Each structure stands twice: as structure tokens, then as C-alpha cells.
Amino acid sequence: METPLTANIDPERGPLDRAGYEAAGGYGALRKVVADMAPGEVTQLVKDSGLRGRGGAGFSTGMKWGFIPLDDERPTCIVANADEMEPGTFKDRILLEGDPHQMVEAMAVSGYAIQARYAFIFLREEYRPAARALERAIGEAYAAGYLGTDILGSGYHLDLQLHTSAGRYICGEETALLSALEGRRPLPRAKPPFPQQSGLWGRPTVVNNVETLCNVPHIVNHGAEWFQGLSRTGDAGTKLYGASGKVNRPGAWELPMGTTARELIEEHAGGMRAGLRLRGMLPGGASTPFLTDAHLDLPLDFGHVGEAGSRLGTGAIIALDDGTCPVGMLANLERFFARESCGWCTPCRDGLPWTERILRAIDRGEGREGDLDNLALHCRYLGPGRTFCAHAPGAVGPLESGLKHFREDFERHIREQRCPWE
């Protein structure tokens, strides 16, 4: 069980049906918790395991669950955030398409831990094969008594529904997701109150990433120490790492937490394409600050990547090679983030389009004296604590680090009034 999350996944065979999943040990964790464990024991086990959120923030999963008031009379909800729209990230898609019953069991076990009455999988609109696989798995689980009323004769009830996203990046922010799930415009909400106190329709709610939740049944089956032993560093478990850009074998792999960027790129992704050299990388999707080739031997976990000045994020590396213009790459990224702003707060709504316009002008050879100072100013005023949610701070993370690591490329564009890569 060195790769518990992907052990059942075989692209040539397709996803297991309920019988195949049960034959592989599936739904054993659900049977165990409803028969032998109190809800608080499940939460404590997850807390002891050291499982941290795999959606980007890296918050302790067990601690997050612990904020749910189990004695509240309001029905509790659990939501899987499957709105995977982070550029360069495709790990959750693999889990949902390849082993949908794992997701269903994860929802049931996690729902039991917080005594949720209602569960939702909030799925990216474009993930249509995943939607079909999940719909089949949910139907089979209901038929077998793993969902619905009086699950396995335990007296526990859980209704699970699949909800298709409206198709906006901001829906991945947990409170905007809840607004969209309620049928309203996906705008982030003020915190506090946090969703654990007042979430979906004002009910106590936990929102977790798909990969995070899929770890839970395996922790129940094998224990906290086993989960910690899967890692190479202090952050427990395995991680679905990805690599894209001009590497020979783009893809995603389940590896021990703390695997180095060098191993991921050179061994699993097959290295850079012929004639190209790695200059930099976004280590956790498009909204994480750049690291450089000097960080290739950095363990990819929450602590080490944070100390290096970036974030692990989703663990999906986007590689920048020495044949690609970093200014053009950043202009493309900022265009995406500007388009995906919900428009709720002025710095994000107006600031991101300005950064994109400046970057486009520099890339076209129309850069002017003071443009770099202007970009740095935008990075400061769009940074953490300046906007309503984390969208804008995430958007300017690559830009601020790009100005630091690739400043000569920016200056050359302005000095020569052209893109040197054209």
C-alpha cells in the first residue's frame, strides 16, 4: 500500500464497479467506523495521522473537522471540492475518473466523523467522464446500503448528491463554492463566521479537497502511524504530484510526501525536452510563486516549499524552460486570473486587468520606464490582507517572484523594445 490512492486505478480497465471495489477491500473503512468507532474517534484518528489539506492551504484536516459542533441541532453538511480549475492541476480528475467508489466511501466515512446529514460533490463542469463515473458509483452505493437512511443498520443517515459547477475558477474558494451550491452568484464570504459554524444554508459545513478526503478510508483501515510512515519528511502521507510544461512525459504520480523536484521532473516526467534547460517552476499550480533550478533538490512538502518562499499548493509543477519567455508566460497567467476575478472587491477587479495590460505591453515591445515599478506596486496592493479573498494574492504570487528571479528578462524587453524570444 505504498500508493493507496491510486492502487485501484487502471486506465485500460476503467473504474471498478461496486463488486470490484469491495473485492479490493472497499467499504471496509465505512463498515468499521459505523460498527466500532464513535464520530469523535474518527476525527481524532485523522488528526493524529497528520493529514493536511491537499487543495492548497495545507490546513490540518482533523483540526478542521474538530470545529464542527456535534451537539448542534442544525443538520451538518460535508462538501467535496472537486472544482479543479487551477491551471496545471489534474490530480483530482485521476481519482474521480479512476476510482469513483473511493470518493463515495471517503464522503461516507468523513461524513460520519462530523455526523453530516447531507453531502455534496461539487464537480468542475468540464469533468464529464468523472461525472458519469460518480453517478454510477453513487447509484450503486445507495443500492447496497452504503448511502441513504440507516447505513448498514447503524442508524446513521447520509444523502450524497453530485453537483456540477457553474464553471468559474472562484468556485474553488470554499465560501464562493458554498454560495454557488446554494444557487447564488459565487462570491466569497466574510470570515468569521467560518463554514464550520455557518456554511451551506447557514448549517455547520466542512469543505475538503478530493485528494484530502480520499486519504481518510485508508487512514481508518491502516492507522495513523502507517500514514505517517508513507512520507519522507514531517508532512505525512503520499501526494499526487504533477508535472507539465516542456517535459518529456507530462503527467501525475502518487509519490511519498517530500519527494524532490529533481526526482519528479527528471525521473518521473522524463526530464526536459531535448535542447532545453529548466529555468524555473511553479511548484503547486499557477497561483504559487516561482522557484528556480537551484531548488531542484528541495523536498516538495508544505514546510520546505514554504521556507523557500513558495507554496506546495496542489503539488502540480509547471516547468519554465530556457526557451520560453517568462514575460509572455506571466502575461498569459495574469490574463487568466484577471478574467476569473469575481469582481467583488476593487483591487482584484481593477488591479489584475492592469497588471495584464502592462505585461502584454512589455511582451509586445511597448514597455516603458517605470513599468516594473508599477508592477511591483500592484503586487504589493494585491497581496495578502489587501483583498476580500485569496484570489488576487495567488494571482500576483508568480508575478512578484518572476520580477525577482527573471528581472533581466523584463529589463531586456523594455530596453530592446521587443521580445528576445521571437
Side-chain angles (χ1 to χ4, degrees):
M1 291 295 290
E2 293 181 354
T3 55
L5 295 175
T6 56
N8 293 334
I9 296 178
D10 183 344
E12 294 185 3
R13 180 201 62 216
L16 295 173
D17 60 9
R18 177 180 59 81
Y21 183 69
E22 289 173 335
Y27 292 109
L30 178 59
R31 292 181 181 277
K32 180 177 180 179
V33 298
V34 299
D36 302 326
M37 299 180 72
E41 291 179 301
V42 182
T43 296
Q44 188 61 50
L45 176 63
V46 172
K47 187 182 295 185
D48 293 342
S49 74
L51 175 63
R52 298 176 63 173
R54 301 316 202 223
F59 192 77
S60 165
T61 304
M63 186 177 295
K64 191 174 192 178
W65 292 2
F67 296 142
I68 289 287
L70 295 180
D71 57 350
D72 198 305
E73 294 181 356
R74 295 171 296 169
T76 300
C77 304
I78 184 167
V79 182
N81 186 345
D83 193 55
E84 189 173 46
M85 283 190 65
E86 177 74 6
T89 302
F90 40 89
K91 63 184 181 64
D92 294 342
R93 177 183 178 182
I94 293 170
L95 297 176
L96 297 172
E97 292 182 7
D99 198 4
H101 274 284
Q102 178 177 238
M103 182 77 255
V104 173
E105 183 179 18
M107 294 297 288
V109 173
S110 303
Y112 176 81
I114 64 169
Q115 289 295 281
R117 181 64 182 85
Y118 302 102
F120 299 88
I121 300 173
F122 191 95
L123 182 68
R124 177 177 175 176
E125 194 278 332
E126 291 84 357
Y127 280 8
R128 294 172 189 176
R132 292 192 291 270
L134 286 167
E135 286 169 351
R136 287 193 298 269
I138 291 170
E140 291 175 342
Y142 267 108
Y146 296 131
L147 294 172
T149 303
D150 193 23
I151 293 174
L152 300 174
S154 66
Y156 173 59
H157 316 303
L158 180 70
D159 287 318
L160 172 62
Q161 295 184 38
L162 178 66
H163 178 90
T164 302
S165 167
R168 295 304 304 270
Y169 178 78
I170 197 63
C171 289
E173 196 278 334
E174 66 173 4
T175 61
L177 180 155
L178 295 176
S179 296
L181 194 52
E182 292 173 353
R184 299 186 291 114
R185 183 178 174 186
L187 297 176
R189 303 178 183 179
K191 300 178 185 179
F194 291 90
Q196 293 91 327
Q197 282 72 50
S198 180
L200 192 62
W201 293 296
R203 298 165 176 172
T205 303
V206 160
V207 181
N208 283 125
N209 170 259
V210 166
E211 183 186 356
T212 308
L213 291 167
C214 285
N215 278 290
V216 173
H218 303 292
I219 293 171
V220 170
N221 284 329
H222 301 288
E225 291 185 7
W226 164 84
F227 187 71
Q228 293 166 1
L230 294 174
S231 172
R232 295 179 183 172
T233 61
D235 288 328
T238 60
K239 180 77 188 73
L240 278 173
Y241 292 104
S244 61
K246 294 180 182 177
V247 294
N248 283 307
R249 292 193 301 270
W253 304 267
E254 184 180 3
L255 300 168
M257 182 69 85
T259 295
T260 65
R262 185 182 300 279
E263 178 182 336
L264 179 61
I265 293 174
E266 295 183 358
E267 295 184 26
H268 301 284
M272 304 302 293
R273 294 180 192 173
L276 297 176
R277 181 180 64 82
L278 180 76
R279 279 193 77 190
M281 53 186 166
L282 302 171
S287 62
T288 54
F290 273 104
L291 298 177
T292 69
D293 56 351
H295 297 103
L296 274 171
D297 294 311
L298 184 75
L300 295 174
D301 65 8
F302 297 102
H304 287 91
V305 176
E307 291 171 2
S310 188
R311 295 183 297 108
L312 180 63
T314 61
I317 284 181
I318 302 175
L320 170 65
D321 61 276
D322 59 354
T324 296
C325 173
V327 177
M329 178 182 180
L330 284 164
N332 189 48
L333 288 179
E334 296 307 316
R335 182 185 187 193
F336 170 82
F337 289 121
R339 285 181 169 184
E340 293 297 331
S341 171
C342 75
W344 184 244
C345 61
T346 303
C348 183
R349 181 187 64 239
D350 296 341
L352 289 179
W354 270 111
T355 62
E356 188 221 338
R357 291 188 195 110
I358 296 169
L359 286 166
R360 288 288 181 198
I362 295 172
D363 192 40
R364 290 194 303 264
E366 301 169 4
R368 297 177 299 178
E369 189 82 24
D371 276 352
L372 301 189
D373 291 337
N374 201 347
L375 287 173
L377 186 71
H378 277 76
C379 290
R380 187 159 64 251
Y381 283 107
L382 289 168
R386 302 278 189 165
T387 57
F388 200 74
C389 79
H391 178 81
V396 297
L399 175 58
E400 185 173 27
S401 57
L403 288 169
K404 172 185 174 182
H405 294 301
F406 312 119
R407 191 172 187 87
E408 172 56 33
D409 297 281
F410 284 87
E411 292 174 345
R412 187 177 173 189
H413 276 73
I414 296 171
R415 184 172 62 250
E416 299 180 9
Q417 290 291 284
R418 67 184 183 91
C419 175
W421 275 264
E422 291 182 351

